[in-house]
């Protein structure tokens, strides 16, 4: 029996020192102050604890940003595909993030890695990163969805606009072409010879039309160029409208994108008209030596003459860049 | 804290904008990493990355202001920590907040104090039970309220208050007895 009493006894008096509390429990306000590194009123005995809390808080705030793993680094560099777009959001050119307070010490190793990754991505993407149409084409090539209307509305509209005349086979060629272009990053430096090898795209159709125009003494060149210019302006304006519609959360940024798109369209229009006039002149000059219907896309003069008809493609580029900018301007609309 | 721009950053992050995701990561990753490190997790950078991948994936499911977002992120971090420790199947050893392989900058004395400070923090928190340490670090590092901590650790607010009170008493006694010494006071 005595063993039972011993086993169940509370022990010697005062043996709970160090286990039970000897001070009144802190109320929430005092606890908040203590964990913030401030000494609660009438609790000088907690000065060391407050100092410790301050040290923990300081150490945490000054800790370097952890280096992201490969997957997260890619997400931080490229963005995250969302349900709304189903497309990877590319890094907007010239975009700057808002100042974020309280990030603590920067991590040079991480920043270097992020920068390298970002540069590599941008360099690798090439044309893809510059035109939403190309991105849509790649996606369509990968999923076969481009012509089925399964792309997001704004992307689908741009896709339809740019490739509406192409067949499925041509689309595959386009996808390959775009990927090749993005690999070589020569979208803006295409040589005449390369241009001659390109499959038929709206610009190449224009080139063929321009050949005919050259064959016809350039009489129709100006008219074709004017049509191309009008087309470019209309496309730019449609993209501007889309940009405005797609930026409900940020009317200011949407307006900027709209203005940018309209300007791009008008620039493309002007450029197209200018190039068209040059082509018309060129066609007129070459008329005696260019037999009707003989001009091919591989002929250097034909390539030159094709410049005005590349305006729609060019305008698509600038207009789509504006569209892409505007699309990415949707999140940027909220950018402070 | 991101502050007044938080809603805009969050809205942009929901659309997948890289700059917004980077902003959220830069803001919270250091403290999330610090929390995981003080709970004794190894490979903190990997775990922090996984936490934020989960956060970014589920952004569309979140609604609320910045304090709620902070609490939500730490909920994900805490769950990951619990899972990882369950996997490790052993009591964690708290580690300094500062990584030994990170360049600290400044003069040698400052660097030494930083490292000692980190060890001091680790030594102090090693005095606590796992639950006490979780509560204290969430209160201090994550700057969360009792109610928010309670929701994260799956306890009632009253239980969290008891845990934090006992933790404070333990720390106070350890500091009084000189078992933990602040290197900046010596």
């Amino acid at each position: 029996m005595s063993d039972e009493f011993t086993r169940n006894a509370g022990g010697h008096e005062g043996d709970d020192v160090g286990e039970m509390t000897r001070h009144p429990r802190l109320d929430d306000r005092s606890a908040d102050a203590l964990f913030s590194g401030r000494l609660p009123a009438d609790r000088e005995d907690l000065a060391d604890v407050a100092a410790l809390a301050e040290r923990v808080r300081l150490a945490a705030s000054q800790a370097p940003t952890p280096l992201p793993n490969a997957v997260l680094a890619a997400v931080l560099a490229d963005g995250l595909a969302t349900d709304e777009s189903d497309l990877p959001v590319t890094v907007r050119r010239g975009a700057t993030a808002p100042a974020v307070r309280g990030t603590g010490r920067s991590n040079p190793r991480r920043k270097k890695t992020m920068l390298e990754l970002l540069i590599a991505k941008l360099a690798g993407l090439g044309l893809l990163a510059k035109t939403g149409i190309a991105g849509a084409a790649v996606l369509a090539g990968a999923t076969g969805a481009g012509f089925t209307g399964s792309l997001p509305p704004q992307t689908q509209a741009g896709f339809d606009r740019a490739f509406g005349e192409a067949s499925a086979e041509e689309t595959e060629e386009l996808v390959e072409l775009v990927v090749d272009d993005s690999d070589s990053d020569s979208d803006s430096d295409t040589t005449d010879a390369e241009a001659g090898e390109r499959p038929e795209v709206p610009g190449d159709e224009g080139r063929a039309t321009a050949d005919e125009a050259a064959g016809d003494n350039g009489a129709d060149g100006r008219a074709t160029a004017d049509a191309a210019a009008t087309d470019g302006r209309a496309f730019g304006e449609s993209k501007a409208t889309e940009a405005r519609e797609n930026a409900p959360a940020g009317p200011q940024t949407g307006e900027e994108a709209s203005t940018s798109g309209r300007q791009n369209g008008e620039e493309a229009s002007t450029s197209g008209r200018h190039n068209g006039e040059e082509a018309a002149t060129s066609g007129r000059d070459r008329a005696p030596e260019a037999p009707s219907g003989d001009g091919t896309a591989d002929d250097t003069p034909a390539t030159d003459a094709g410049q005005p008809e590349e305006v729609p493609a060019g305008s698509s580029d600038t207009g789509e860049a504006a569209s892409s900018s505007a699309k990415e301007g949707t999140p940027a609309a909220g950018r402070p | 804290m991101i502050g007044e721009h938080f809603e805009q950053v969050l809205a942009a992050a929901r659309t997948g904008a890289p700059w917004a995701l980077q902003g959220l990561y830069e803001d919270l990753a250091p403290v999330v990493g610090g929390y995981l490190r003080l709970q004794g997790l190894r490979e903190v950078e990997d775990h922090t990355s996984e936490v934020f991948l989960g956060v970014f994936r589920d952004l569309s499911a979140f609604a609320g202001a910045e304090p709620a977002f902070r609490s939500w992120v730490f909920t994900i971090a805490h769950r990951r920590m619990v899972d990882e420790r369950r996997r490790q199947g052993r009591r964690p050893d708290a580690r300094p907040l500062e990584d030994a392989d990170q360049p600290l900058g400044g003069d040698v004395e400052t660097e030494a104090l930083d490292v000692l400070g980190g060890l001091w923090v680790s030594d102090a928190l090693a005095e606590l039970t796992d639950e006490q340490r979780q509560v204290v670090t969430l209160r201090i590092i994550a700057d969360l309220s009792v109610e928010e901590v309670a929701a994260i650790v799956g306890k009632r607010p009253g239980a969290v208050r008891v845990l934090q009170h006992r933790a404070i008493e333990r720390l106070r006694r350890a500091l009084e007895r000189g078992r933990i010494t602040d290197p900046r006071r010596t």
Side-chain angles (χ1 to χ4, degrees):
Chain A
M1 289 295 289
S2 60
D3 286 345
E4 289 182 18
F5 284 120
T6 303
R7 191 180 303 130
N8 295 331
H12 300 291
E13 186 179 352
D15 71 345
D16 58 348
V17 173
E19 295 297 328
M20 303 298 287
T21 57
R22 291 180 299 173
H23 294 280
R25 186 176 295 176
L26 290 172
D27 59 23
D28 281 354
R29 258 178 96 178
S30 298
D32 288 346
L34 184 66
F35 288 131
S36 299
R38 302 190 306 274
L39 188 61
D42 300 329
R43 291 301 304 263
E44 283 77 14
D45 59 308
L46 294 178
D48 286 342
V49 179
L52 174 66
E54 185 184 11
R55 183 70 188 91
V56 172
R57 183 179 285 267
L58 189 67
S61 67
Q62 290 183 342
T65 303
L67 197 67
N69 63 18
V71 179
L72 181 62
V75 168
L76 293 175
D78 294 344
L80 196 64
T82 62
D83 293 336
E84 289 79 16
S85 67
D86 276 334
L87 285 173
V89 178
T90 55
V91 179
R92 182 179 180 181
R93 283 177 288 173
T96 55
V100 178
R101 187 168 61 83
T103 55
R105 280 185 301 187
S106 61
N107 183 338
R109 186 157 55 105
R110 179 187 168 279
K111 283 190 172 176
K112 182 169 179 286
T113 305
M114 293 285 291
L115 186 61
E116 287 173 349
L117 186 63
L118 189 62
I119 291 171
K121 286 284 181 185
L122 286 174
L125 287 174
L127 183 61
L128 288 176
K130 295 172 185 171
T131 66
I133 288 177
V138 170
L139 186 70
T143 64
F147 288 105
T148 64
S150 60
L151 293 175
Q154 63 269 35
T155 309
Q156 186 71 45
F159 188 98
D160 292 342
R161 178 68 184 171
F163 302 117
E165 302 294 327
S167 65
E169 290 78 14
E170 287 168 336
T171 303
E172 290 182 5
E173 292 178 5
L174 284 174
V175 170
E176 292 174 6
L177 175 67
V178 166
V179 172
D180 290 341
D181 277 353
S182 68
D183 288 341
S184 63
D185 198 24
S186 60
D187 51 305
S188 60
D189 300 325
T190 306
T191 62
D192 291 341
E194 288 170 336
E197 295 171 0
R198 292 169 61 184
E200 282 193 4
V201 293
D204 287 314
E205 284 181 20
R207 190 175 296 121
T209 306
D211 290 341
E212 294 173 9
D216 293 338
N217 297 333
D220 298 329
R222 184 175 293 125
T224 307
D226 284 344
T230 303
D231 205 21
R233 187 188 299 114
F235 185 67
E237 288 180 352
S238 72
K239 287 299 163 190
T241 304
E242 285 178 19
R244 201 178 300 113
E245 290 171 353
N246 290 332
Q252 187 176 359
T253 306
E255 284 299 328
E256 289 173 5
S258 168
T259 304
S260 173
R262 190 178 297 114
Q263 285 175 350
N264 283 338
E266 290 176 357
E267 285 174 9
S269 166
T270 305
S271 173
R273 188 177 293 113
H274 176 70
N275 288 336
E277 288 175 357
E278 284 183 0
T281 304
S282 173
R284 216 176 284 121
D285 293 345
R286 288 197 311 273
E289 58 187 82
S292 177
D294 284 347
T296 65
D298 293 336
D299 295 341
T300 302
T303 304
D304 290 338
Q307 283 182 351
E309 291 306 309
E310 289 183 13
V311 169
S315 65
S316 296
D317 195 350
T318 53
E320 193 62 32
S323 171
S324 175
S325 171
K327 262 183 279 177
E328 291 169 18
T330 303
R335 184 173 302 150
Chain B
M1 296 285 283
I2 292 175
E4 58 181 323
H5 301 307
F6 175 76
E7 284 187 17
Q8 295 160 323
V9 172
L10 181 64
R14 282 197 183 112
T15 68
W19 65 269
L21 299 176
Q22 289 165 14
L24 294 175
Y25 181 76
E26 293 273 344
D27 182 48
L28 284 177
V31 285
V32 168
Y35 173 71
L36 296 177
R37 186 172 290 114
L38 284 176
Q39 303 310 314
L41 256 62
R42 296 175 178 174
E43 299 168 350
V44 167
E45 291 184 338
D46 278 346
H47 291 303
T48 305
S49 294
E50 292 301 322
V51 166
F52 277 88
L53 284 171
V55 167
F56 294 157
R57 270 194 299 263
D58 294 339
L59 266 182
S60 59
F62 171 79
E66 186 168 17
F69 179 76
R70 193 179 182 88
S71 179
W72 182 61
V73 170
F74 272 95
T75 300
I76 295 173
H78 179 78
R79 286 175 183 168
R80 180 161 193 89
M81 183 271 296
V82 170
D83 289 344
E84 178 61 18
R85 283 180 48 187
R86 195 174 289 150
R87 195 180 66 81
Q88 289 178 354
R90 62 177 179 78
R91 192 176 187 281
D93 53 330
R95 294 178 160 220
L97 283 173
E98 291 84 1
D99 273 337
D101 59 347
Q102 289 292 332
L104 293 172
D107 57 23
V108 175
E109 187 180 358
T110 303
E111 291 180 12
L113 281 176
D114 277 343
V115 173
L116 287 172
L119 290 173
W120 178 57
V121 168
S122 298
D123 287 346
L125 295 179
E127 294 285 322
L128 306 178
T129 66
D130 289 347
E131 287 185 334
Q132 289 171 352
R133 183 166 49 247
Q134 289 166 17
V135 167
V136 166
T137 49
L138 284 172
R139 294 278 278 141
I140 296 177
I141 294 180
D143 204 15
L144 301 176
S145 68
V146 168
E147 287 73 18
E148 289 170 329
V149 171
I152 289 175
V153 299
K155 294 183 181 298
R156 287 177 299 179
V160 169
R161 287 191 182 91
V162 169
L163 281 170
Q164 76 178 16
H165 177 67
R166 289 180 176 170
I168 290 169
E169 282 300 308
R170 276 203 183 200
L171 289 173
R172 186 186 60 75
R173 284 197 302 273
L175 289 164
E176 272 182 2
R177 293 171 189 166
R179 288 165 62 182
I180 313 165
T181 307
D182 184 351
R184 303 195 177 199
R185 295 191 176 188
T186 56

